[in-house]
Amino acid sequence: MRLLCSALALLMAPLAQAEPMAPLPSTSQGEGYAVLIVSRERLEVATTCEVALYLHDQMAARLHQGQSVSFNLPPGKVSLRLGLTGTGPCQDGINQLAGQSLELQAGEVRRYRIAMGSDGLRLHAAPTLN
């Protein structure tokens, strides 16, 4: 039994003498990302249709009146499109919807609201919250 304990102690000795691992670099939450918040206010788009939000030509969200959505995105250029979606008169058309581009910086929070203009649905900068 004593021999077994000695052998185990010899095997564990190299582990005990190993240098400790360097600590992982600390990163604050959200570092390296930007936050994009898009809201659909009740009075801005007066339709019962859902508004579809496309990021880089992929549907990312469907918003009803009064809803909002947020995304953690890598910094850089973001391509956005908006369109009505659903059934009946809300069905997607086959035409390409006009898009918008944003340039996001790491660590920033951008807020936009959906509004209907003469050229269709657009994102407009929303006031910042203090």
Side-chain angles (χ1 to χ4, degrees):
M1 183 67 155
R2 198 180 281 192
L3 182 60
L4 181 61
C5 289
S6 297
L8 189 56
L10 286 174
L11 288 175
M12 297 297 280
L15 293 176
Q17 295 173 354
E19 291 184 29
M21 289 180 53
L24 295 173
S26 65
T27 57
S28 62
Q29 185 176 5
E31 184 178 305
Y33 285 89
V35 177
L36 175 65
I37 301 170
V38 178
S39 63
R40 179 181 174 190
E41 304 300 325
R42 292 190 183 277
L43 301 175
E44 296 289 334
V45 181
T47 179
T48 57
C49 300
E50 293 176 317
V51 174
L53 172 66
Y54 297 86
L55 294 175
H56 301 290
D57 292 324
Q58 298 291 320
M59 186 185 291
R62 297 170 87 147
L63 296 159
H64 291 281
Q65 291 180 347
Q67 289 185 319
S68 65
V69 64
S70 63
F71 302 95
N72 290 332
L73 299 170
K77 187 177 179 180
V78 178
S79 170
L80 299 156
R81 288 188 299 119
L82 297 169
L84 298 179
T85 187
T87 59
C90 301
Q91 283 183 312
D92 295 332
I94 59 171
N95 56 340
Q96 183 72 21
L97 302 171
Q100 292 176 258
S101 291
L102 304 174
E103 187 73 31
L104 299 174
Q105 304 297 319
E108 76 175 326
V109 176
R110 293 256 196 107
R111 289 177 173 79
Y112 289 89
R113 60 184 173 78
I114 299 170
M116 180 69 82
S118 59
D119 57 345
L121 295 171
R122 300 290 293 170
L123 288 178
H124 294 279
T128 57
L129 301 175
N130 292 330

